[in-house]
Amino acid sequence: MRRTGLTRVLGVHTTWTTVGDGEFFCPGCGGDRNYQRRTGRRRFTVLGVPLVPRGQAGPVVQCAACERRFGTEALDHPTTHRFSAMLRDAVHTVVLAVLAVGGSPSRPSLECAVGVLRAAGFDDSSEDRLAALVEALVTDAGRLPEHVGSGAGLAIELHEALDPLAAHLAPAGRESILLQGARIALADGPYSSAERDVLGTVGAALTMCTDEVADLLVAAARTPS
């Protein structure tokens, strides 16, 4: 009983100050919400009156909807809108990489690639537009000393598109991106060595182990198109 009474007399009060705001994916609400970035000052209180400073609190992120507070690492999770954009960009990059690595793409590969892009939200994709884009990429790659679009340059582009996304994808999501690239590579026949290499890079960027990638590529090759 004495402890209860003492707790009511003595305590620590935190005064919060808003230092920024924005939109984030709230872990509590499970969706995109507005937030306030806040810092606090703790004070030792007696009978509810703040007296002695007890240091800083935060910074924290407070959801404007549920009012729960989270560590600033909550801002590392992309909003739903941002995640969708990252996913679209990743699929587009993988499609172009698989098509460009073999040079001039075949008609079956283009047809498959257009289907993948339209499913990802690129409604205006067409075989002619895609072929022209791949041709431009291949031409530019041949003009540059480091052959951007193949080899090391291609690996950099894939990692730039996939690395930020991989941490937020479930295993099925990572597999789906790899298999979309595999279907495009298989549309005109078995994998070429260059296509295997680029798909291996895709898998690595998606934090998939070598054996897992190899198994998925074999499974894709055995699945009727």
Side-chain angles (χ1 to χ4, degrees):
M1 293 297 294
R2 291 181 179 178
R3 287 185 178 181
T4 302
L6 185 62
T7 300
R8 291 175 180 175
V9 173
L10 306 176
V12 175
H13 175 75
T14 303
T15 302
W16 295 98
T17 301
T18 300
V19 295
D21 56 27
E23 186 181 42
F24 81 137
F25 184 89
C26 176
C29 297
D32 295 347
R33 301 289 187 270
N34 291 325
Y35 74 85
Q36 292 180 326
R37 185 185 179 101
R38 314 190 78 186
T39 59
R41 297 177 59 188
R42 294 191 183 97
R43 286 183 178 274
F44 183 73
T45 64
V46 177
L47 295 175
V49 178
L51 297 175
V52 182
R54 292 294 301 271
Q56 302 294 317
V60 298
V61 175
Q62 182 170 326
C63 176
C66 69
E67 298 187 347
R68 291 175 61 183
R69 298 188 184 104
F70 308 94
T72 54
E73 64 273 9
L75 299 180
D76 294 337
H77 194 294
T79 62
T80 302
H81 177 75
R82 175 58 182 156
F83 179 80
S84 296
M86 291 167 64
L87 186 58
R88 279 164 43 92
D89 290 345
V91 171
H92 195 271
T93 302
V94 170
V95 168
L96 291 181
V98 174
L99 291 176
V101 75
S104 180
S106 67
R107 186 58 57 180
S109 295
L110 286 171
E111 290 177 357
C112 183
V114 168
V116 169
L117 289 176
R118 288 180 177 174
F122 296 93
D123 298 331
D124 59 347
S125 294
S126 69
E127 294 174 29
D128 290 340
R129 287 183 180 180
L130 193 53
L133 180 55
V134 173
E135 182 180 357
L137 290 174
V138 172
T139 300
D140 288 343
R143 291 175 181 171
L144 297 175
E146 295 183 0
H147 301 289
V148 176
S150 63
L154 178 58
I156 291 173
E157 293 177 9
L158 286 169
H159 277 281
E160 287 178 346
L162 298 174
D163 284 354
L165 181 66
H168 307 292
L169 282 173
R174 300 188 198 112
E175 293 177 5
S176 176
I177 292 177
L178 178 66
L179 290 174
Q180 289 178 77
R183 285 196 293 271
I184 296 171
L186 291 166
D188 59 356
Y191 303 112
S192 67
S193 59
E195 288 170 339
R196 283 188 176 275
D197 287 344
V198 76
L199 291 170
T201 301
V202 170
L206 291 170
T207 66
M208 300 169 68
C209 69
T210 303
D211 290 343
E212 185 180 3
V213 171
D215 290 344
L216 286 170
L217 295 185
V218 170
R222 292 174 176 171
T223 302
S225 58

